[in-house]
Amino acid sequence: MANLLKLFYVLLFLSIPVSSQLDELFYAGFKDVGTNIALSGVAEIQTSGILRLTNETSRLMGHAFYPSAFRFKNSNTGKAYSFSTCFALAIVPEYPKLGGHGFAFTIATSKDLKALPSQYLGLLNSTDLGNFSNHLFAVEFDTVQDFEFGDINDNHVGIDINSLVSNKSVAAAYFSDDSTKQDLNLKSGKSILAWVDYDSAENIINVTLSPFSSKPRTPILSFPLDLSPVLDEYMYVGFSASTGLLASSHYLLGWSFKMNGPARDIDLSSLPSLPGPKKKHTSLKIGVSVTVVVFALASIAIALYLIRRMRNADIIESWELEIGPHRFSYQELKKATKGFKDKELLGHGGFGRVYKGTLPKFQDPSRC
Ligand SMILES: *[C@@H]1O[C@H](CO)[C@@H](O)[C@H](O)[C@H]1NC(C)=O
Ligand SMILES: *[C@@H]1O[C@H](CO)[C@@H](O)[C@H](O)[C@H]1NC(C)=O
Ligand SMILES: *[C@@H]1O[C@H](CO)[C@@H](O)[C@H](O)[C@H]1NC(C)=O
Ligand SMILES: *[C@@H]1O[C@H](CO)[C@@H](O)[C@H](O)[C@H]1NC(C)=O
Ligand SMILES: *[C@@H]1O[C@H](CO)[C@@H](O)[C@H](O)[C@H]1NC(C)=O
C-alpha cells in the first residue's frame, strides 16, 4: 500500500509539469482574450476583436506574444520538438502598392524584444543582428525590398534565423492545386492564411499560404532545418510588425498553435471582418481632383475650339469694306459655279482650275 502510494505521488509529481505545460492555442479573433495575449509597442485589440500590430503611422512597432513560454526542446536530448501554427493576417498599406514595412511570426527568448522598427521588423536591432546567442527564429512577410538584407522583392516570405538576411525566401504565392502556383499580394488588404509547420524528425520547415480557408497541399517555402541549436528550451511565440517611412496597418485576425501536432484549422469566415475600405477619404480626394482636372481640361478644350473658330472665321478688314467684297465663301462659290460644273470651267491656270460664275446678289459684307 505504501509503495502504491509512493508510486502515485511519483506519478503525480511527474505529471504536474507535463500537464500544466500548455501545448495548444486557438484564437478565432481576440475579443475576449483578456490577459492571454501580451501586447507591446502600439499593438492593440480593437473592439471588433481584430489584433492590430501597427497602424499607418511611420516608424512604429507592435508585438503580440502568448504570455507564457512554451517548452520547445527535450531537455535530455536537446532536440527541438515539432510544432505547427496557422494564422490569419492582413496588411492594409497607407498607399496602395506601397507597403511598410512587414509582419513576422516569431519564436524568441523574450516577449519584450529590444528591437527597431522599419527594416528590422521589430525583431532585432542593429547591434544584435546576426548574433547566434539571440535564439530568434522568424518567418517574415516583408512588403519592402531592403537591399541591405538582400531582399528578393517587395512581396516575399522568408525564413530568418537571428538575422533579417533570410536563409530562404520566395515571392508570396500559393498553390491553387498541386501544380498551379498563383501570385499572392501580401499588401492587398485582404485576409491571408499562413501555416508554419516544423517536423523535428525530418528536420524540415514548411510555410504554406492561401487566400482561402483550406490548406494547399504544397508549401510555398520548404527549408531543411534543425531548430535544435537555434531554440532555447523555453521560448515565447508571437508576432511582430513594424512600419518605416511608408506604413501599413498590420492585422492578426486569428491564430492557432500546437506543439507536436498539427495546429487546428482556422475558418476565415469565422473571423472578425476587417475594417471596411477606409480609403473613402482618399477616394473622395481623388474623385474631387479628377473632377477638377476634367473640368479644367474641358475648359481649355472649349477655349481652344473658340479661338480656332475665331481664327478661321473670315475676317473682314476695314480696307475691304471700302472697296467692296473680295472674298466669297465656299458655299457662295459652289452656288455661283453650279457646283463647279465642267461646263463652267474656263481653263487651268497657275492657281488651279478657273470657273465662270455668276454671283446671285451683291451682299453688303458690313451687314454680315
Ligand atoms: C498610430 O498609433 C500611434 C500610437 O498609438 C498614434 O500616436 C498615432 O496617432 C496613430 N496613427 C493613426 C494614423 O491613427
Ligand atoms: C539590442 O538587442 C539586444 C538583445 O535583445 C539587447 O541586449 C540590446 O540592449 C539591444 N540594443 C539596443 C540599442 O536596443
Ligand atoms: C552576442 O550577444 C551576446 C548576448 O547578448 C553578447 O554577450 C555577445 O557579445 C554578442 N556577440 C557579438 C559578436 O556581438
Ligand atoms: C542562416 O543564415 C545565417 C546567415 O544569415 C547563417 O549564419 C546560418 O548558418 C544559416 N542557417 C542555416 C540553417 O542555413
Ligand atoms: C513539408 O513539405 C513537404 C513537401 O511538400 C512534405 O513532403 C512534408 O510532409 C511537409 N512537412 C510538413 C511538416 O508539413
Side-chain angles (χ1 to χ4, degrees):
M1 189 62 200
N3 274 349
L4 247 165
L5 206 67
K6 225 159 124 191
L7 182 66
F8 176 71
Y9 277 128
V10 166
L11 280 176
L12 191 70
F13 177 75
L14 278 178
S15 70
I16 284 168
V18 177
S19 63
S20 71
Q21 183 62 51
L22 185 76
D23 72 346
E24 186 166 13
L25 301 174
F26 183 80
Y27 300 101
F30 297 87
K31 215 180 175 79
D32 305 308
V33 290
T35 55
N36 286 328
I37 285 283
L39 302 176
S40 66
V42 297
E44 62 173 45
I45 291 167
Q46 304 187 303
T47 45
S48 62
I50 296 182
L51 198 167
R52 188 180 68 186
L53 288 157
T54 72
N55 63 17
E56 290 161 25
T57 295
S58 297
R59 295 187 61 80
L60 297 177
M61 287 186 284
H63 297 127
F65 280 92
Y66 185 72
S68 314
F70 280 86
R71 193 169 170 197
F72 267 88
K73 262 196 244 222
N74 180 325
S75 46
N76 295 326
T77 62
K79 181 78 181 145
Y81 295 127
S82 296
F83 67 85
S84 159
T85 188
C86 173
F87 48 90
L89 73 138
I91 301 177
V92 182
E94 182 182 8
Y95 303 106
K97 298 188 179 157
L98 292 172
H101 224 275
F103 173 99
F105 165 74
T106 186
I107 306 178
T109 50
S110 162
K111 56 192 172 195
D112 177 29
L113 299 175
K114 303 263 181 301
L116 292 173
S118 301
Q119 69 268 36
Y120 297 95
L121 302 179
L123 292 172
L124 294 164
N125 61 46
S126 50
T127 56
D128 62 8
L129 208 58
N131 188 335
F132 215 76
S133 59
N134 267 312
H135 299 288
L136 183 115
F137 169 81
V139 177
E140 61 167 48
F141 296 75
D142 198 341
T143 59
V144 175
Q145 183 170 21
D146 296 302
F147 295 101
E148 177 188 355
F149 298 137
D151 284 353
I152 53 166
N153 65 14
D154 63 353
N155 186 52
H156 63 272
V157 177
I159 288 178
D160 298 348
I161 298 164
N162 300 309
S163 172
L164 290 148
V165 179
S166 298
N167 287 77
K168 189 169 181 184
S169 63
V170 287
Y174 69 101
F175 281 92
S176 55
D177 61 54
D178 286 353
S179 57
T180 319
K181 201 173 173 180
Q182 311 271 358
D183 291 341
L184 190 61
N185 180 8
L186 295 176
K187 48 191 175 291
S188 65
K190 301 203 177 85
S191 310
I192 293 170
L193 271 182
W195 293 261
V196 177
D197 298 290
Y198 174 62
D199 183 335
S200 72
E202 301 286 330
N203 285 332
I204 193 160
I205 192 135
N206 287 344
V207 180
T208 313
L209 302 181
S210 177
F212 309 113
S213 297
S214 60
K215 185 182 182 181
R217 273 211 301 206
T218 316
I220 195 66
L221 183 53
S222 197
F223 182 60
L225 176 66
D226 181 2
L227 276 176
S228 308
V230 176
L231 303 180
D232 256 354
E233 188 178 351
Y234 286 94
M235 301 287 289
Y236 293 89
V237 267
F239 301 87
S240 176
S242 72
T243 64
L245 279 179
L246 292 166
S248 304
S249 288
H250 295 92
Y251 297 101
L252 182 69
L253 298 98
W255 179 27
S256 75
F257 176 86
K258 189 168 166 54
M259 297 298 308
N260 293 307
R264 262 176 77 183
D265 289 336
I266 290 179
D267 182 1
L268 281 176
S269 65
S270 73
L271 303 179
S273 46
L274 282 161
K278 49 134 217 58
K279 291 280 155 205
K280 266 181 201 134
H281 197 59
T282 318
S283 60
L284 184 70
K285 256 195 236 163
I286 291 169
V288 167
S289 48
V290 165
T291 313
V292 167
V293 167
V294 166
F295 183 77
L297 286 177
S299 309
I300 291 167
I302 290 168
L304 285 176
Y305 172 75
L306 289 176
I307 289 168
R308 259 183 72 159
R309 255 188 67 159
M310 275 162 69
R311 283 231 181 111
N312 287 351
D314 271 346
I315 296 162
I316 314 283
E317 292 170 36
S318 56
W319 59 267
E320 288 184 276
L321 293 176
E322 281 161 27
I323 54 172
H326 280 235
R327 299 190 208 185
F328 303 98
S329 75
Y330 177 76
Q331 285 304 327
E332 283 174 303
L333 291 176
K334 193 176 169 189
K335 217 164 156 191
T337 58
K338 301 187 174 93
F340 304 102
K341 267 199 182 140
D342 280 352
K343 237 179 77 187
E344 312 292 317
L345 188 67
L346 294 176
H348 296 267
F351 302 106
R353 292 158 170 231
V354 180
Y355 292 89
K356 179 181 85 177
T358 317
L359 285 168
K361 184 165 80 182
F362 178 74
Q363 243 188 353
D364 185 352
S366 62
R367 286 191 298 139
C368 286

